[in-house]
């Protein structure tokens, strides 16, 4: 998900995500890390990547972590390690970024989309059991917007049917489900370090976490052209190695991740309080945190009546916003061959018409949040007044 850029016809009062503000607070450390790599001239894998792998493993409480070139590659490598291919089905959600289903399709397997829980936007486990067939090779739940899917229910069904679970935790590093870090329930967790993520690099990057030594070794082989050594190819792999420069930058940022998560959570609380104070919680739907979960707010997403009109009014007011996601995957042209049609997955379709993401970076000020809420209150002023009568 790329960082938002202002419309050419209106200048935002502040950015959707202020990466420059983040960089200013840690510039000296970031610059020193980059210089360290330049002095070493070790750019591919090496000690910086190994250091990041160990530190991510510790942070996510995973025995093993394997770095790769992107979050998209993390999903692809996980499926390759499970030998997913033509004739296989992989169950997942249609309400996510295209990379989730794209990785399945690239291997010749078939994505099976099931609908979401409208309260959490995550895959509805009640729909999972009915979707399982003899062709089901894996399931990929997505921990969307920074909150874990209902892993107890999903894991119970998956274990009973012998189906491996790959967690798409691209937006959820630091999120917890009943005290356990996201990415630590299935055979592996897949993380993204795209710049807009809570832990973002200066480019693409990804990580896989797993509790199985053999699986971790298979991932290392697959990310490095399919061999343990340079000129010995054991299986058909790919080139998906994290750059040492990215690893060095991420090692600095990882030290601040918990602090930044706390900032996002405090800003989410402030948003909710401001909306409730204006009576807007009776007009729009605020984010709901599932019991037992900690939400890290990669996105703060509301459901809004007349969403598109609201977004346009915000743009005119200089307030940035984004839509994640305007078209569910089962209705995208790339997946038309699967045969889904409008109305097949109504909760995902309704969410795509109504969701709106508001700015929520850690450095965001109370004044900036008040500007956002003021602009939304202005749009819904009559609705809010009617709701309070």
């Amino acid at each position: 998900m790329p960082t938002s850029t202002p419309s050419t016809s209106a200048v935002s009062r502040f950015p959707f995500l202020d990466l420059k503000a983040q960089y200013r607070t840690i510039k000296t450390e970031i610059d020193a890390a980059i210089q360290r790599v330049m002095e070493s001239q070790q750019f591919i894998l090496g000690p910086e990547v190994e250091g990041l792998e160990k530190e991510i493993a510790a942070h996510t409480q995973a025995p093993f972590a394997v770095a790769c070139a992107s979050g998209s590659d993390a999903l692809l490598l996980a499926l390759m390690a499970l030998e997913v291919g033509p004739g296989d089905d992989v169950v997942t959600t249609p309400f996510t970024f295209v990379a989730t289903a794209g990785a399945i399709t690239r291997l010749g397997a078939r994505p099976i989309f099931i609908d979401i829980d409208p309260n959490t936007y995550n895959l509805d486990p009640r729909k999972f059991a009915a979707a399982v067939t003899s062709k089901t090779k894996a399931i990929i739940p997505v921990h969307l917007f920074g909150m874990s899917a209902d892993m107890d229910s999903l894991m119970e069904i998956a274990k009973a049917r012998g189906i491996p679970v790959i967690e798409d935790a691209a937006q959820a590093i630091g999120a917890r489900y009943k005290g356990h870090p996201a990415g630590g329930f299935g055979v592996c967790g897949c993380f993204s370090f795209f710049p807009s993520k809570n832990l973002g690099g200066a480019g693409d990057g990804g990580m896989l976490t797993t509790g199985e030594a053999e699986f971790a070794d298979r991932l290392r082989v697959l990310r490095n052209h399919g061999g343990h050594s340079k000129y010995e190819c054991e299986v058909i792999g790919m080139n998906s190695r994290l750059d040492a420069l990215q690893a060095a930058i991420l090692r600095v940022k990882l030290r601040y991740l918990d602090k930044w998560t706390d900032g996002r959570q405090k800003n989410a609380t402030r948003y909710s309080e401001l909306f409730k104070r204006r009576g807007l919680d009776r007009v729009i739907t605020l984010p709901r945190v599932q019991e037992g979960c900690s939400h890290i707010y990669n996105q703060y997403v509301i459901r809004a009546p007349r969403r598109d009109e609201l977004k346009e009014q915000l743009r005119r007011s200089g307030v940035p916003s984004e839509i994640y996601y305007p078209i569910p995957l089962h209705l995208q042209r790339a997946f038309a061959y699967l045969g889904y049609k409008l109305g097949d997955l109504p909760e995902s379709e309704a969410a795509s018409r109504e969701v709106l993401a508001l700015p929520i970076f850690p450095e965001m000020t109370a004044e900036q949040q008040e500007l956002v809420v003021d602009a939304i209150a202005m749009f819904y002023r009559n609705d809010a007044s009617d709701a309070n009568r």
Side-chain angles (χ1 to χ4, degrees):
M1 290 174 289
T3 304
S4 174
T5 54
S7 166
T8 55
S9 57
V11 178
S12 295
R13 301 186 192 184
F14 51 89
F16 185 77
L17 174 65
D18 197 344
L19 292 176
K20 291 181 180 179
Q22 183 189 83
Y23 174 58
R24 284 193 295 268
T25 66
I26 54 174
K27 182 181 187 302
T28 301
E29 294 171 79
I30 292 290
D31 292 353
I34 293 172
Q35 186 61 34
R36 183 173 70 242
V37 175
M38 296 306 296
E39 293 287 348
S40 74
Q41 289 293 292
Q42 296 184 55
F43 298 121
I44 304 298
L45 299 178
E48 293 290 351
V49 173
E50 291 170 7
L52 178 65
E53 288 174 336
K54 291 176 182 177
E55 289 158 14
I56 291 290
H59 191 273
T60 59
Q61 298 177 18
F64 306 97
V66 179
C68 63
S70 68
S72 300
D73 277 5
L75 292 163
L76 185 62
L77 287 163
L79 292 166
M80 291 171 67
L82 290 175
E83 299 183 344
V84 170
D88 294 330
D89 290 345
V90 178
V91 177
T92 193
T93 168
F95 193 62
T96 184
F97 187 57
V98 67
T100 311
I104 299 167
T105 305
R106 283 185 64 186
L107 294 175
R110 184 181 181 88
I112 302 297
F113 296 121
I114 60 176
D115 217 349
I116 60 171
D117 180 330
N119 294 317
T120 66
Y121 307 113
N122 284 322
L123 187 151
D124 189 339
R126 294 170 297 183
K127 309 287 175 60
F128 176 35
V132 174
T133 71
S134 59
K135 293 183 178 181
T136 305
K137 192 68 176 284
I139 175 176
I140 306 180
V142 178
H143 304 315
L144 200 67
F145 302 145
M147 186 173 70
S148 174
D150 183 353
M151 294 309 296
D152 277 353
S153 299
L154 291 171
M155 291 301 297
E156 181 180 1
I157 299 167
K159 287 180 179 178
R161 307 292 183 90
I163 299 170
V165 175
I166 298 169
E167 295 174 68
D168 184 340
Q171 301 178 14
I173 189 165
R176 288 179 174 268
Y177 177 81
K178 297 187 176 179
H180 299 285
F185 293 88
V187 66
C188 73
C190 300
F191 296 88
S192 170
F193 301 133
F194 187 82
S196 65
K197 298 299 190 289
N198 292 30
L199 179 63
D204 279 314
M207 187 73 69
L208 300 105
T209 57
T210 182
E212 301 178 14
E214 184 178 344
F215 196 82
D217 184 63
R218 200 176 312 157
L219 293 171
R220 293 189 194 100
V221 167
L222 287 168
R223 75 170 177 189
N224 195 27
H225 295 292
H228 284 92
S229 60
K230 189 173 182 179
Y231 295 115
E232 184 178 357
C233 183
E234 303 159 34
V235 295
I236 300 300
M238 58 191 288
N239 177 7
S240 185
R241 301 172 300 208
L242 183 67
D243 292 341
L245 277 166
Q246 295 298 341
I249 291 168
L250 289 164
R251 293 181 74 186
V252 172
K253 289 191 168 189
L254 182 59
R255 298 198 289 267
Y256 295 90
L257 180 59
D258 290 342
K259 176 184 175 182
W260 293 338
T261 296
D262 184 62
R264 286 175 180 268
Q265 291 170 335
K266 287 179 177 176
N267 284 342
T269 298
R270 183 185 293 120
Y271 262 141
S272 297
E273 290 172 350
L274 289 170
F275 283 128
K276 290 174 182 177
R277 198 177 303 161
R278 300 292 192 89
L280 287 166
D281 59 315
R282 301 180 186 182
V283 180
I284 63 176
T285 301
L286 304 181
R288 299 173 183 174
V289 181
Q290 182 175 315
E291 185 177 355
C293 289
S294 66
H295 202 315
I296 62 163
Y297 295 100
N298 180 246
Q299 304 296 343
Y300 183 95
V301 176
I302 63 171
R303 292 183 79 139
R306 310 199 310 277
R307 189 271 313 277
D308 293 343
E309 296 174 52
L310 170 62
K311 180 171 173 57
E312 174 60 16
Q313 182 59 44
L314 293 179
R315 185 192 66 79
R316 291 177 180 174
S317 301
V319 173
S321 64
E322 287 289 346
I323 298 172
Y324 303 119
Y325 298 92
I327 305 173
L329 297 185
H330 70 290
L331 299 180
Q332 295 276 3
R333 284 182 294 171
F335 299 106
Y337 73 96
L338 295 172
Y340 290 95
K341 62 184 183 302
L342 185 67
D344 284 347
L345 301 172
E347 297 295 353
S348 299
E349 294 163 19
S352 291
R353 292 191 298 268
E354 298 168 5
V355 294
L356 188 67
L358 306 178
I360 192 169
F361 48 92
E363 300 81 11
M364 192 176 190
T365 66
E367 292 74 20
Q368 289 171 330
Q369 288 191 275
E370 287 168 1
L371 284 172
V372 175
V373 175
D374 285 347
I376 294 174
M378 182 65 68
F379 180 80
Y380 288 122
R381 60 187 179 277
N382 294 329
D383 304 47
S385 297
D386 291 342
N388 283 324
R389 286 177 185 171

